[in-house]
Amino acid sequence: KGVIVSSYLPAPFTVGGFTLNLDYKPLPFLLLRTEGRLLSGKEKIFASNGLAAQNNFSWFSSATIFF
């Protein structure tokens, strides 16, 4: 299954990237996760500080409590 992306760009819509995450369970009822993600496109399709950019980097962290 795929995603259909409609684009105003003259070139085909192409984006690639990678993610890296780390899960840590310090207690039986607590899970911590941190994840970094880098996306890169051939065209400037991402926003960065109000300007168009070819790359997008995001860093996420979360905590989950089991009960």
Side-chain angles (χ1 to χ4, degrees):
K1 312 248 178 185
V3 175
I4 298 173
V5 177
S6 177
S7 173
Y8 64 89
L9 302 171
F13 181 81
T14 305
V15 175
F18 69 91
T19 64
L20 178 66
N21 74 35
L22 174 68
D23 292 337
Y24 176 59
K25 195 171 184 181
L27 299 168
F29 58 87
L30 179 64
L31 178 66
L32 304 175
R33 170 175 279 189
T34 187
E35 178 177 346
R37 177 176 62 194
L38 177 64
L39 298 175
S40 181
K42 288 186 176 183
E43 302 288 332
K44 293 182 177 183
I45 58 172
F46 301 105
S48 177
N49 298 323
L51 301 173
Q54 278 184 280
N55 300 313
N56 177 270
F57 179 75
S58 303
W59 190 269
F60 305 98
S61 295
S62 65
T64 304
I65 298 173
F66 299 95
F67 52 93

